[in-house]
Amino acid sequence: MARFNRLVRFLAHDKRIYHGDALLPSGVTDLGRCTQAKIIKGDIFGEHEVTDEIIYKPLSTLAGPNDPIPIPHIAQGPGLDYECELVAIIGREGRDISAANAGAHILGYCVGNDVSHREWQLTRGGGQWSLGKGFDGWAPIGPGIVSAARVMPDPHALKISTSVNGTKVQDSCTADMIFGVHEIVRFLSQGTTLLPGDVVFTGTPEGVGAARKPPLWLGDGDLVEVELEGVGRLRNRVEFVKDDRSRL
């Protein structure tokens, strides 16, 4: 499926945005430190070539590895939480996919922060958990996509962590996942077509703010960093929107 090893998206000197295969210094795996890449021509989910040139969340939740996390007025109370997660990117369309064949449908992996508001998730959302996870910009992912076929065929032994303002609050390993990635793809594809570009968050380890005593909620200006071994780190700062209420 993929001919790249580590997929990144970047703004070049000609002011155009390209996809590329990251060129990392020896011993470096953090895609956030990438400064060079071979440009990819073609459809990254279909026919493409690497050249020698250098829970449901709406699409609107997706954000970049260094973007702020915008908090609308209605979600600025207690309950704002973090969740570091291994993220799988679907690369081939499929439905009723078996666990044994799931790997053939995965383009690659990155890390994500499943930003959540527990009050909206559990009480104010009327039982719809996605309401507490679906605000704009609440799914930062990146810093690139590591090829499942060429670099990371088994993502189930990777260190994963979250830090808030420099203090580590989640520190685990993907080996502790209750369900493996292939089983998750099998479950999600039952009677449902998965499409190229679909983003699958796979669950978070212990240490979320809601489970702490007392709870640890995110506040305006907090810096949240989530990191996955072999992929890199996201650095996103919480930003309370000053006034997002509609006006006539």
Side-chain angles (χ1 to χ4, degrees):
M1 184 190 305
R3 296 182 183 178
F4 60 83
N5 291 319
R6 296 175 174 86
L7 180 68
V8 292
R9 184 171 177 265
F10 63 94
L11 178 66
H13 292 300
D14 62 3
K15 307 302 181 183
R16 296 174 63 187
I17 294 176
Y18 295 93
H19 289 98
D21 195 355
L23 299 175
L24 296 174
S26 177
V28 174
T29 58
D30 185 350
L31 288 173
R33 296 172 60 184
C34 173
T35 59
Q36 291 182 306
K38 293 183 178 180
I39 293 174
I40 294 175
K41 292 182 177 179
D43 182 359
I44 60 172
F45 298 111
E47 289 298 321
H48 67 267
E49 60 175 323
V50 179
T51 73
D52 288 328
E53 302 174 51
I54 301 300
I55 306 173
Y56 169 77
K57 293 172 83 83
L59 180 62
S60 58
T61 62
L62 289 176
N66 299 295
D67 290 342
I69 302 170
I71 311 302
H73 180 77
I74 59 173
Q76 291 178 10
L80 187 61
D81 212 344
Y82 50 83
E83 293 186 9
C84 64
E85 300 193 22
L86 167 69
V87 175
I89 310 297
I90 299 300
R92 178 181 297 170
E93 180 178 328
R95 188 180 74 172
D96 297 322
I97 303 167
S98 70
N101 292 327
H105 293 265
I106 298 173
L107 178 73
Y109 301 101
C110 60
V111 66
N113 183 2
D114 183 10
V115 182
S116 307
H117 195 287
R118 304 307 181 189
E119 184 177 346
W120 273 96
Q121 177 182 344
L122 301 174
T123 59
R124 298 178 67 182
Q128 301 295 323
W129 278 28
S130 62
L131 292 178
K133 294 173 173 282
F135 293 105
D136 289 356
W138 280 29
I141 62 172
I145 301 172
V146 175
S147 169
R150 297 166 65 95
V151 179
M152 195 175 287
D154 183 6
H156 299 108
L158 306 174
K159 295 179 181 178
I160 188 168
S161 63
T162 301
S163 295
V164 176
N165 298 326
T167 299
K168 190 167 288 189
V169 291
Q170 289 183 287
D171 190 8
S172 188
C173 178
T174 55
D176 294 332
M177 293 171 59
I178 297 175
F179 301 105
V181 175
H182 293 180
E183 174 59 23
I184 292 172
V185 170
R186 182 204 67 77
F187 181 82
L188 291 176
S189 69
Q190 295 177 109
T192 300
T193 300
L194 300 183
L195 298 173
D198 281 349
V199 176
V200 180
F201 281 69
T202 61
T204 195
E206 63 180 355
V208 296
R212 292 175 173 269
K213 298 185 184 301
L216 175 63
W217 304 129
L218 298 175
D220 191 21
D222 284 347
L223 178 63
V224 186
E225 299 174 276
V226 300
E227 186 170 4
L228 179 65
E229 181 183 2
V231 173
R233 180 184 302 176
L234 312 181
R235 299 172 178 87
N236 305 98
R237 193 173 295 278
V238 176
E239 186 176 280
F240 279 20
V241 178
K242 301 308 178 185
D243 190 357
D244 61 346
R245 287 168 287 188
S246 297
R247 295 178 180 178
L248 296 176

